[in-house]
Each structure stands twice: as structure tokens, then as C-alpha cells.
Amino acid sequence: QLRLVESGGGLVQPGGSLRLSCAASGFGLNTSAVGWFRQAPGKEREAASCISSGGQTITYLGSVKGRFTISRDNTKNTVYLQMNSLKPEDTAVYYCASSKEGILRLCGTSRPQGDVYWGQGTQVTVSS
């Protein structure tokens, strides 16, 4: 069974940090672009950060640039999102998604294009 499983979400105070993990089972992530998307209540889903299959190309949403860092360990079949200096506006369900069609198809348009696998999501709440 092909699955993406997110973990690492939770409740954190403003200014705090969390590290999200996206682990794949049933298939290898090493040939897939992976993105971390987030959706807050009443808002559109947006791509927070994306990374190409080899890690050479990385994108960040403007509002998270300098605070979030995406990375991947293909030996562990896992992609990470280190989130520092968290703000209340970062509160959302975070999803990871993968695509073998490249980072542009996954993150280059308003919605991911083509064949995309999604995880179930993990809640991140930033609140004092």
C-alpha cells in the first residue's frame, strides 16, 4: 500500500519550533518532488515549501522564508520541514504531497497538477 504519513505536529507557543516529518511507505520518495502544503480554516490550501527529487531546487512561500527549512533524506525515505520562529498565522493542517512529475507540476501552479499522493495531514497550532 502506498502511503505518506506526516508526524511532528502539535501545539507550540509563538516563537517556538517544530519539525514535521513525511515518511513514505510502499514506494520510494527518491524520484519524487515533495511539497509541504498547509490549510488554515476558511483559507485556501497553499504550498509552504517544496523540494525537488534530488534536493537541488527548493521553494518557499514568502511568509515562511527564513523561518522554515525543507530537507530530505532519501536513505530514510523521509522529507522534513523544520519550522522556527512560529507565528499564530502558521496555524494550519500541514500535508505532505509527492509527485513523480516534478516540482513545477507539484508546486508551480495554484493547485498541484497530475498524479499526486497526499498524506493525511498533521495539525500545527501556534498559540500562547
Side-chain angles (χ1 to χ4, degrees), residues 50-95:
C50 299
I51 187 168
S52 60
S53 59
Q56 301 95 329
T57 302
I58 289 175
T59 65
Y60 292 104
L61 185 68
S63 60
V64 309
K65 198 171 291 185
R67 300 187 297 120
F68 290 11
T69 303
I70 193 170
S71 62
R72 64 189 304 154
D73 185 342
N74 287 338
T75 65
K76 296 182 178 179
N77 223 20
T78 301
V79 173
Y80 305 97
L81 186 68
Q82 178 67 43
M83 305 187 296
N84 298 329
S85 302
L86 282 161
K87 304 176 181 180
E89 51 263 43
D90 295 317
T91 295
V93 179
Y94 284 71
Y95 300 89

Side-chain angles (χ1 to χ4, degrees), residues 15-122:
S17 298
L18 285 174
R19 188 176 83 154
L20 305 183
S21 298
C22 171
S25 62
F27 70 106
L29 271 182
N30 58 314
T31 58
S32 298
V34 178
W36 282 101
F37 294 78
R38 67 184 187 181
Q39 188 165 22
K43 294 190 175 181
E44 294 278 324
R45 182 178 59 196
E46 59 186 2
S49 183
C50 299
I51 187 168
S52 60
S53 59
Q56 301 95 329
T57 302
I58 289 175
T59 65
Y60 292 104
L61 185 68
S63 60
V64 309
K65 198 171 291 185
R67 300 187 297 120
F68 290 11
T69 303
I70 193 170
S71 62
R72 64 189 304 154
D73 185 342
N74 287 338
T75 65
K76 296 182 178 179
N77 223 20
T78 301
V79 173
Y80 305 97
L81 186 68
Q82 178 67 43
M83 305 187 296
N84 298 329
S85 302
L86 282 161
K87 304 176 181 180
E89 51 263 43
D90 295 317
T91 295
V93 179
Y94 284 71
Y95 300 89
C96 70
S98 71
S99 170
K100 292 187 180 297
E101 300 176 32
I103 193 172
L104 287 180
R105 294 271 286 171
L106 182 62
C107 301
T109 58
S110 58
R111 294 183 179 183
Q113 305 292 312
D115 195 11
V116 179
Y117 286 110
W118 291 93
Q120 83 288 350
T122 186

